[in-house]
Each structure stands twice: as structure tokens, then as C-alpha cells.
Amino acid sequence: MGCKAILVFFQYGVMANFYWLLVEGLYLHILLVLIFSPNRHFTIYLLIGWGIPTIFIITWTVTRIILEDTGCWDTNEHGGPWWVIRIPILISIIVNFILFISIIRILLQKLRSPDVGGNDQSQYKRLAKSTLLLIPLFGVHYTVFALFPDRSSNNYKIIFELCLGSFQGLIVAVLYCFLNSEV
């Protein structure tokens, strides 16, 4: 029972990670789109970041108990329970990637406005820097293997996610906290 509880908590942490990346993307997109936003939507962000994963983890736990209650739940003989977690994560990755593209488009429009000074080279350099800063914040690297079947790309996926995914928190902390003079 303890092993299953730990696995449920682990899966909740993984899913919450993806949904908090989505909350970061939504927050930044709302900041760029809405100029005057007196309401910070904090409660909605909390519900998205913690609530949606809770709903799907409870659903996953119930489906595991009903359909595949074998061992420590670390194997997936039947695909049904696994997709209860996988589909919401894929949706969050896809929505976050769409938000990322939208934000890059907004930044490009702002850089092309006549109010922004500088030559074309400096503007594109600023756009490239902004894009590179947003990649770890949005978790864009997850889109690389998001739609591939697990069996076909498992070895490459593990190496890729270990190299990039494990350093994501460090990169975000360094770029947005330690190198930020406002923090």
C-alpha cells in the first residue's frame, strides 16, 4: 500500500509540474495581452496548478484499482489507466506550446513597432534572447517527444529529458531569480 501511495504522489508531482508550467504560460500571456488587468486571477491559477492534477490523479487511482490493481502500479499492462494521466499532460504541453508561439508573435509585433528604437539586427537579437529565456520557463523542450509513442522513442526520450528536464528548475531559478535585480 505504501508503494502505491508513493507512486500516486509521484504521479501527482509530475502532473502538477506540467500544469504549473501551463499556469506560468497563461500568466505571461495574460500580462502581454491585457494591458490593464486589476484582477490577478490567483485563485484560478491555484485551481489549474493544483486542482486539475488532483482530479486526474484521483481518476487515475480509481481506474488503477478497478482495471489494473497489480503490484506497485509501476507497470502498465493495460493502456487505459495510463492515458488518464497522459492525455491531460499532453493537453497542457500543447496549450503551453501554443501560448509560447503566441507570446513570440506578440514580442515580434512589439519589436517591429515604430516606438522601439534600434536597428533590425539588435531587435532580432532581443527577440532571440527573449525566446531562449522563455524556452525553459514554458517547458518547450517537452514538445519534442510529447506526441511520440513511448515505445518507439524511449531511449532517446530518457536521455533528452534527463539532460534538459532535470536542469529546467535550475535554469529558471538562475535566469529569473538569481540574475534578476528585482528579486
Side-chain angles (χ1 to χ4, degrees):
M1 190 66 161
C3 179
K4 292 176 183 177
I6 290 170
L7 190 66
V8 167
F9 183 71
F10 172 76
Q11 293 296 347
Y12 178 76
V14 169
M15 186 174 269
N17 174 52
F18 283 101
Y19 275 89
W20 277 107
L21 288 172
L22 179 62
V23 167
E24 291 172 0
L26 286 170
Y27 180 71
L28 185 58
H29 191 267
I30 287 172
L31 281 178
L32 290 173
V33 172
L34 299 177
I35 296 172
F36 299 106
S37 177
N39 188 358
R40 295 281 186 209
H41 309 292
F42 187 69
T43 306
I44 295 170
Y45 296 144
L46 285 174
L47 289 174
I48 293 171
W50 297 121
I52 292 176
T54 301
I55 292 167
F56 284 105
I57 290 301
I58 290 171
T59 306
W60 175 73
T61 304
V62 170
T63 57
R64 278 304 281 218
I65 290 170
I66 294 170
L67 297 177
E68 193 178 359
D69 193 12
T70 58
C72 185
W73 296 352
D74 56 346
T75 60
N76 297 307
E77 294 174 13
H78 303 290
W82 179 242
W83 286 105
V84 172
I85 291 178
R86 186 83 172 148
I87 288 174
I89 288 175
L90 289 174
I91 290 170
S92 73
I93 290 171
I94 291 167
V95 170
N96 219 12
F97 186 71
I98 291 168
L99 289 171
F100 174 76
I101 297 298
S102 177
I103 288 172
I104 297 301
R105 185 184 51 81
I106 291 168
L107 290 175
L108 185 60
Q109 287 175 350
K110 289 186 180 205
L111 284 175
R112 287 185 177 169
S113 73
D115 298 335
V116 177
N119 59 12
D120 285 343
Q121 184 179 5
S122 68
Q123 290 176 351
Y124 287 113
K125 187 177 180 180
R126 288 172 50 193
L127 178 65
K129 182 180 176 184
S130 300
T131 303
L132 290 174
L133 287 173
L134 289 175
I135 288 173
L137 182 68
F138 277 68
V140 173
H141 60 279
Y142 290 118
T143 59
V144 174
F145 288 103
L147 300 175
F148 286 104
D150 284 337
R151 288 174 177 63
S152 67
S153 61
N154 204 18
N155 292 336
Y156 300 112
K157 183 178 180 178
I158 288 173
I159 293 169
F160 188 77
E161 285 186 0
L162 285 175
C163 291
L164 290 179
S166 61
F167 290 109
Q168 179 186 5
L170 175 67
I171 292 170
V172 169
V174 168
L175 292 176
Y176 293 99
C177 294
F178 302 132
L179 295 179
N180 188 348
S181 61
E182 294 175 7
V183 177

